[in-house]
Amino acid sequence: MKKTLVFGASLKPYRYSHIAIKRLVEAGEEVLAFGLREGHVAGVRVVTSCDEFEGVDTVTLYMNPRRQRQFYETVINLKPRRVIFNPGTENPEFYDLLAAADIKVEVACTLVMLSIGQYH
């Protein structure tokens, strides 16, 4: 099974990253979560370090471009197949870095992709 990392996961139920974790779990996806605070969402442990993540297929971003900067190298080193830039996370500078690392960039909404059966 392909692993999805929700990057910028929030413990707050009204945040889209939180909803995405729940929907991904409901869809039967294997979900990892990185956030600024540790906790649990829908049985998924939210951690504050990506050091132990392996085999990540998709990173779905829920972090604004200004905050992303400090994590460029972290995401690239995970060597995902693709990074999904959800609404509000668009970042052409990061697109270029990912493309140079041969990582596919998708500017889309994970929640919409799941709802219309276009996630994979």
Side-chain angles (χ1 to χ4, degrees), residues 9 19 63 79 114:
I19 296 166
M63 186 177 284
K79 297 181 173 78
L114 285 165

Side-chain angles (χ1 to χ4, degrees), residues 1-98:
M1 177 170 290
K2 296 178 179 178
K3 295 178 189 175
T4 296
L5 170 59
V6 176
F7 202 91
S10 175
L11 303 178
K12 298 175 182 173
Y14 57 87
R15 302 291 261 179
Y16 287 114
S17 62
H18 188 102
I19 296 166
I21 293 170
K22 287 181 163 184
R23 298 259 174 88
L24 286 161
V25 167
E26 289 167 4
E29 300 293 332
E30 186 172 349
V31 182
L32 305 169
F34 167 81
L36 300 177
R37 291 183 187 80
E38 290 191 6
H40 288 85
V41 176
V44 174
R45 185 170 162 238
V46 178
V47 296
T48 56
S49 170
C50 293
D51 293 342
E52 295 180 25
F53 295 150
E54 292 180 357
V56 173
D57 175 74
T58 299
V59 172
T60 182
L61 274 177
Y62 288 93
M63 186 177 284
N64 73 52
R66 186 177 39 80
R67 278 234 167 117
Q68 291 170 21
R69 262 200 191 108
Q70 66 183 313
F71 297 108
Y72 288 172
E73 190 174 317
T74 300
V75 172
I76 291 168
N77 287 341
L78 290 170
K79 297 181 173 78
R81 175 178 60 90
R82 67 178 175 172
V83 174
I84 300 171
F85 286 80
N86 288 279
T89 67
E90 298 89 347
N91 184 347
E93 178 181 68
F94 200 7
Y95 303 164
D96 293 342
L97 295 171
L98 292 165

